[in-house]
Amino acid sequence: MFQPGLAASAGGRLMFDDALAGFARTMVVDEMRPVSTLTELLRDEGLDRLLLKVYGPKLVKDQLPVLVSQWMKYYAMQLIPPVVVASLAHGAGWPLGLDRLSFALHERGYLDGVRFHGDVMEVSVSENPFERFAPLLENLQQVIERLSAYGDVPAAVLWGNAGDYLETCSRQLSAGSDVSVVAGYGLLRERLRPDGRRNPLFNAVTYIEEQDGQSIRRRRTCCLSYRVEWVGRCEHCPLGMAARKSVDQRAPS
């Protein structure tokens, strides 16, 4: 499964050929493209600078939890597809320590690509999803703890964002290739981790069958985006209009 020759080319991007190409689009392989280290981006001053550039001082002051939730969406969008697909398709991956990742920034300030520092390597192909994706889970745990503390946003909201992109990636991979996604979905279907702790990705996304036979995709946790008109409501929001008003009424002003 793991092919060192392909993995060594263009930072491993050649592993993503044909049907898998879209899952590598967030990878930054151009060494001339500027990137910022993840450890730098996660410092208070780094987050302050980026959020101010994207959203402006008023929103940063009044709606910081919403903005941090959006930042986590961009993070998950850049990181999860290449990591999950490299593992499922090739049994390969990269070091995922916070000091081994950098991100390109769009001119508007949001994350716009990930660079992996370190050679592509063979990784676990265990059927146990928590063992197979242990480095990814550790990475997400550290990033979410940092963002939760910085933005005073519940960790469950940020895990929900990660789970949303994990489910999307697994679903698209299943629909567009013959790669098994059992391990990817395992992270979303197991209520508990092997050590008995709660799995924060459990049922991050579910599908609800309506009376007309249509299947509606729903997140388990709200991403808070509805609170800012400029950001807009997530189409998979688990809260109805009445529930959102109730949440807003209880929120401190």
Side-chain angles (χ1 to χ4, degrees), residues 172-218:
Q172 292 177 345
L173 181 61
S174 177
S177 74
D178 58 359
V179 175
S180 172
V181 297
V182 171
Y185 274 115
L187 288 179
L188 301 166
R189 300 294 176 256
E190 297 291 337
R191 184 182 297 274
L192 300 176
R193 305 183 195 192
D195 61 7
R197 290 181 297 158
R198 184 180 64 85
N199 173 20
L201 293 171
F202 173 67
N203 273 359
V205 172
T206 56
Y207 288 82
I208 302 171
E209 192 79 15
E210 296 203 326
Q211 290 183 349
D212 60 3
Q214 291 188 341
S215 183
I216 305 299
R217 188 178 188 270
R218 286 288 179 267

Side-chain angles (χ1 to χ4, degrees), residues 122-242:
E122 190 170 0
V123 299
S124 170
V125 292
S126 172
E127 294 182 0
N128 182 324
F130 299 97
E131 179 178 338
R132 183 166 192 154
F133 293 108
L136 175 61
L137 293 172
E138 177 62 23
N139 174 283
L140 293 174
Q141 181 76 44
Q142 293 182 57
V143 171
I144 286 171
E145 286 179 356
R146 175 71 190 98
L147 293 177
S148 179
Y150 168 82
D152 192 26
V153 55
V157 170
L158 305 179
W159 278 109
N161 292 345
D164 189 350
Y165 284 99
L166 174 60
E167 194 276 340
T168 297
C169 174
S170 299
R171 173 166 42 83
Q172 292 177 345
L173 181 61
S174 177
S177 74
D178 58 359
V179 175
S180 172
V181 297
V182 171
Y185 274 115
L187 288 179
L188 301 166
R189 300 294 176 256
E190 297 291 337
R191 184 182 297 274
L192 300 176
R193 305 183 195 192
D195 61 7
R197 290 181 297 158
R198 184 180 64 85
N199 173 20
L201 293 171
F202 173 67
N203 273 359
V205 172
T206 56
Y207 288 82
I208 302 171
E209 192 79 15
E210 296 203 326
Q211 290 183 349
D212 60 3
Q214 291 188 341
S215 183
I216 305 299
R217 188 178 188 270
R218 286 288 179 267
R219 290 173 50 116
R220 181 168 59 86
T221 57
C222 175
C223 72
L224 310 180
S225 66
Y226 74 91
R227 292 183 180 179
V228 177
E229 182 178 359
W230 184 83
V231 175
R233 179 194 174 192
C234 167
E235 63 179 315
H236 308 296
C237 182
L239 303 179
M241 182 61 72

Side-chain angles (χ1 to χ4, degrees), residues 1-9 11-13 15-16 27 82-97 100-101 116-125 131-136:
M1 177 180 289
F2 179 66
Q3 301 181 53
L6 287 180
S9 302
R13 194 163 186 170
M15 294 188 296
F16 299 85
M27 292 174 59
V83 170
V84 169
V85 174
S87 172
L88 294 178
H90 297 290
W94 300 266
L96 297 180
R100 307 301 298 276
L101 296 172
F116 299 100
H117 298 285
D119 294 334
V120 182
M121 58 188 181
E122 190 170 0
V123 299
S124 170
V125 292
E131 179 178 338
R132 183 166 192 154
F133 293 108
L136 175 61

